[in-house]
Amino acid sequence: MRWALKLSIPFVPKSGGHSPWSTIGTEGIIIDLSLYSDVRVDAGARTATVIGSVLAKEVSVRLAEAGLFTGMAF
């Protein structure tokens, strides 16, 4: 992505698999981030760090393994 930004090349990230196509056009590139994913859970701090192309189900499963769940803060 840094390369594309430096050279002003339009790009879109591909990650979660929601769409097999892009509207970037022939002048741009698609950067596949599907293998760049992780969920790091710190049960003691009750936090999770979500990296890259993680799907919502993966977050829920990893949190459940640590005895946590997603919620909304008001």
Side-chain angles (χ1 to χ4, degrees):
M1 288 188 291
R2 289 181 183 157
W3 169 81
L5 288 169
K6 182 178 179 180
L7 297 175
S8 299
I9 297 172
F11 69 92
V12 293
K14 174 192 175 297
S15 58
H18 297 289
S19 177
W21 53 271
S22 169
T23 58
I24 193 65
T26 58
E27 69 281 354
I29 60 173
I30 300 171
I31 299 176
D32 186 352
L33 300 174
S34 60
L35 296 179
Y36 180 67
S37 68
D38 193 15
V39 178
R40 298 177 188 157
V41 177
D42 182 339
R46 300 173 52 96
T47 62
T49 302
V50 180
I51 299 171
S53 64
V54 174
L55 300 176
K57 181 179 178 181
E58 294 173 68
V59 174
S60 296
V61 168
R62 294 291 296 274
L63 289 174
E65 291 170 351
L68 302 170
F69 63 93
T70 58
M72 296 181 67
F74 295 96

